[in-house]
Amino acid sequence: ANNSNFYTYELLQSIAEWLKKRVDIRPTVGIICGSGLGSLADTLTERNTFPYEVIPHFPKSTVHGHEGQLVFGKLKGVPVVCMQGRFHYYEGYPLWKCSMPIRVMKLIGVNQLIVTNAAGGLHSDYQPGDIMIMKDHVNLMGFAGNNPLQGVNEERFGPRFIAMNRAYDKELRDHAKKISKDLGIESFVREGVYAVLGGPNFETIAELRLLKTCGVDAVGMSTVHEVLTAHHAGMRIFAFSLISNKCVTDYDDDYEVNHAEVIDTGKMREPILKELVTRMVLK
Ligand code: R1P
């Protein structure tokens, strides 16, 4: 059964009101921190932090490298709200539950979302530490009929059917490329297509070979449900993957990808990612 209507518009509104009563600032920009990228939220000043377990009706974060709190604050003077830790399907939550914070953000006044994730690099040129601006995605879970927008449509957020060709805002992508040039990091900034799998296991060699043939550049287990929910609600979206490891597509390669490496790559790129996100927010 689909229980997406558990989070009625009114219930989500009551959560947004609960938060608004406790915070003075009214952010229009939301940021989601991927695995190992939680420290993006540490840059904020005038912070107001809410562990997910204290917010009414919020799911709990269960993955290492995901703090599990909502952080309000200012980034160089601009009010923002950060999800320091996100929800993944493999944690046992349905997708509509994983992406409910996006609707809460929308009701708080957020109209622009910056989504980050750690992903495996499938494109042969990609190296760990590369930043891939997302220009599109392949929603493998959606192929199989799993989508956060399932259930009775809530028109107050958006229409039943949504076009996806402009989901990853071109102007924001171009701006990110310009920032990369200014920062002198364009040699490791890419633009590509992300595919989402349900996880929690990393992909098999056969799965990766299949995806590579289909034009996929990076793979992960998040982001797409958030982008769908945000795009449905009319938010402008900028998303990027930090390439945390190379995908193994060769049966003679004994290297095994692991979550610790994923988190370490995030730490290594911390300063530059903070700078990129800050400049995107200041736009
Ligand atoms: C695997 O190491 C984890 O890192 C990525 C994958 O999706 C998976 O959860 O996390 P984020 O997508 O949350 O950055």
Side-chain angles (χ1 to χ4, degrees):
N2 187 295
N3 290 319
S4 60
N5 290 326
F6 169 73
Y7 286 119
T8 59
Y9 191 86
E10 289 71 22
L11 182 64
L12 291 164
Q13 232 170 4
S14 74
I15 303 170
E17 288 309 317
W18 187 93
L19 288 162
K20 278 162 80 178
K21 251 190 229 145
R22 288 161 179 79
V23 216
D24 293 333
I25 60 165
R26 293 288 173 265
T28 58
V29 180
I31 301 169
I32 304 178
C33 306
S35 283
L37 307 175
S39 65
L40 288 175
D42 298 336
T43 325
L44 306 191
T45 54
E46 300 170 52
R47 295 152 58 87
N48 215 332
T49 300
F50 301 90
Y52 293 153
E53 54 268 22
V54 308
I55 310 175
H57 308 292
F58 243 68
K60 320 250 170 302
S61 239
T62 67
V63 188
H64 179 60
H66 287 265
E67 218 56 55
Q69 50 193 27
L70 205 57
V71 187
F72 288 78
K74 289 189 177 166
L75 204 51
K76 294 246 165 86
V78 180
V80 299
V81 53
C82 270
M83 279 180 74
Q84 202 173 27
R86 61 149 55 90
F87 305 112
H88 307 80
Y89 188 64
Y90 62 75
E91 293 177 74
Y93 302 121
L95 288 177
W96 51 264
K97 199 165 200 169
C98 292
S99 61
M100 68 73 89
I102 313 301
R103 289 187 162 179
V104 173
M105 283 189 194
K106 174 75 185 181
L107 294 171
I108 287 171
V110 169
N111 55 29
Q112 184 173 323
L113 194 65
I114 299 179
V115 194
T116 73
N117 64 59
L122 187 54
H123 191 294
S124 322
D125 294 347
Y126 288 10
Q127 298 299 328
D130 284 358
I131 296 166
M132 185 191 83
I133 298 168
M134 283 174 66
K135 73 167 177 215
D136 204 351
H137 70 229
V138 174
N139 181 9
L140 284 169
M141 286 195 272
F143 280 18
N146 190 4
N147 190 300
L149 301 175
Q150 270 167 353
V152 175
N153 184 54
E154 177 49 77
E155 293 286 330
R156 282 171 283 185
F157 284 114
R160 169 83 290 181
F161 301 106
I162 52 168
M164 288 303 294
N165 54 311
R166 298 179 64 210
Y168 296 90
D169 193 286
K170 174 128 185 353
E171 204 185 309
L172 295 180
R173 284 187 281 126
D174 286 345
H175 189 62
K177 286 178 213 165
K178 184 178 172 298
I179 293 171
S180 307
K181 277 216 180 74
D182 295 346
L183 290 172
I185 59 169
E186 72 267 38
S187 61
F188 60 86
V189 174
R190 325 279 192 164
E191 186 172 48
V193 176
Y194 175 94
V196 65
L197 290 91
N201 59 286
F202 291 108
E203 308 71 33
T204 68
I205 291 177
E207 286 162 356
L208 289 167
R209 288 183 172 188
L210 171 82
L211 293 173
K212 200 169 183 173
T213 321
C214 298
V216 169
D217 301 306
V219 288
M221 309 165 197
S222 71
T223 303
V224 168
H225 55 281
E226 296 148 353
V227 166
L228 290 169
T229 307
H231 187 53
H232 177 253
M235 292 184 186
R236 283 185 86 185
I237 298 161
F238 173 68
F240 69 81
S241 299
L242 175 66
I243 303 301
S244 49
N245 59 279
K246 246 179 132 63
C247 291
V248 174
T249 53
D250 181 351
Y251 285 99
D252 292 327
D253 189 340
D254 285 335
Y255 173 75
E256 284 188 312
V257 58
N258 59 84
H259 189 56
E261 183 190 8
V262 170
I263 291 182
D264 285 348
T265 313
K267 294 220 175 87
M268 173 190 87
R269 277 287 183 245
E270 196 178 286
I272 205 70
L273 293 176
K274 277 183 184 165
E275 193 55 36
L276 173 64
V277 170
T278 306
R279 293 194 187 199
M280 285 304 290
V281 168
L282 290 178
K283 184 185 162 357

